[in-house]
Amino acid sequence: AQSVTQLDSQVPVFEEAPVELRCNYSSSVSVYLFWYVQYPNQGLQLLLKYLSGSTLVKGINGFEAEFNKSQTSFHLRKPSVHISDTAEYFCAVSREGGSYIPTFGRGTSLIVHP
Amino acid sequence: DAGITQSPRYKITETGRQVTLMCHQTWSHSYMFWYRQDLGHGLRLIYYSAAADITDKGEVPDGYVVSRSKTENFPLTLESATRSQTSVYFCASSPGRNSGNTIYFGEGSWLTVV
């Protein structure tokens, strides 16, 4: 089985500052990794995903994430955040060749202050 | 491209009543899921389905019933609603391993049981 840990439940940051949301996973086999964003009163929207290939993945809204196999991490970054990035962010992992049900982290609330 | 639609989006019901939340997807995805989202608990899987007429229990199935007579529909029924079932419910679908088990979510159904 796989598991996901989002190390911060809440990340406050000022507008135009850089941000990193941390995600670590555990799995004994190769994995697929995902970041989802949930804006207030909305569903979860796929931000980006890593399936294979380049370890640096670019997503929507200027976000990117880097898959680090040795550190079992998939941290999400944005060089300059906007007020509109205020949302809940979920990391998820799925095992290659395993169950089709991804495991989700508990979420990180990104709060962007003006 | 309609994607996944959930109805109703908002519902208030009384304790003991039966409630059905509808979910319809237009992608012909094989896999479908129902999650509930509560503060402090993150996303919890209620039921899932690998294909029409194949359903399985997730993490928190008690008090819920699902069916999947057609690939595109996956209704969730609360047989006798309780206050503890007040929550936000998300339906989701996935094409499966070819997509790395990428899950796509609906907009959510806000249910209040009084």
Side-chain angles (χ1 to χ4, degrees):
Chain A
Q2 65 270 17
S3 66
V4 179
T5 302
Q6 291 185 242
L7 297 159
D8 306 295
S9 60
Q10 206 172 77
V11 173
V13 65
F14 286 106
E15 193 173 19
E16 297 183 7
V19 70
E20 178 180 83
L21 306 183
R22 297 180 293 168
C23 173
N24 285 89
Y25 69 91
S26 67
S27 174
S28 56
V29 299
S30 297
V31 295
Y32 305 122
L33 293 155
F34 310 85
W35 276 100
Y36 288 84
V37 59
Q38 184 182 28
Y39 299 106
N41 299 319
Q42 294 186 26
L44 279 74
Q45 178 183 355
L46 182 66
L47 200 54
L48 50 79
K49 62 182 176 181
Y50 170 80
L51 302 185
S52 65
S54 173
T55 57
L56 183 62
V57 181
K58 294 189 184 298
I60 60 173
N61 301 338
F63 283 93
E64 64 180 32
E66 186 157 19
F67 169 52
N68 188 319
K69 189 174 181 179
S70 63
Q71 297 189 1
T72 61
S73 68
F74 191 55
H75 300 334
L76 181 70
R77 302 185 182 100
K78 186 170 182 178
S80 176
V81 294
H82 301 288
I83 295 285
S84 59
D85 292 322
T86 294
E88 192 82 13
Y89 292 79
F90 292 89
C91 182
V93 63
S94 175
R95 282 188 303 155
E96 187 177 337
S99 167
Y100 56 86
I101 305 171
T103 299
F104 284 85
R106 296 291 288 268
T108 296
S109 180
L110 175 63
I111 302 169
V112 181
H113 297 286
Chain B
D1 188 348
I4 298 183
T5 53
Q6 294 184 230
S7 62
R9 292 292 314 281
Y10 303 94
K11 175 80 176 177
I12 300 174
T13 192
E14 294 178 336
T15 301
R17 289 195 179 267
Q18 184 180 82
V19 176
T20 296
L21 305 180
M22 305 300 292
C23 178
H24 176 79
Q25 53 111 349
T26 60
W27 291 316
S28 299
H29 286 171
S30 297
Y31 304 98
M32 295 190 75
F33 311 84
W34 274 106
Y35 289 89
R36 60 178 290 175
Q37 184 178 33
D38 306 283
L39 275 174
H41 292 280
L43 284 166
R44 291 184 290 177
L45 182 64
I46 305 171
Y47 269 96
Y48 58 100
S49 169
D53 297 322
I54 301 175
T55 62
D56 269 304
K57 295 178 180 179
E59 183 185 352
V60 288
D62 292 344
Y64 303 95
V65 173
V66 294
S67 63
R68 196 167 175 207
S69 57
K70 293 184 178 181
T71 299
E72 61 266 30
N73 297 324
F74 192 39
L76 176 74
T77 297
L78 287 66
E79 295 183 295
S80 178
T82 65
R83 289 199 178 94
S84 65
Q85 293 178 309
T86 292
S87 186
V88 184
Y89 292 86
F90 289 102
C91 181
S93 72
S94 172
R97 294 197 177 103
N98 288 341
S99 73
N101 302 327
T102 305
I103 283 189
Y104 299 91
F105 287 85
E107 287 295 298
S109 293
W110 272 253
L111 178 67
T112 301
V113 183
V114 297

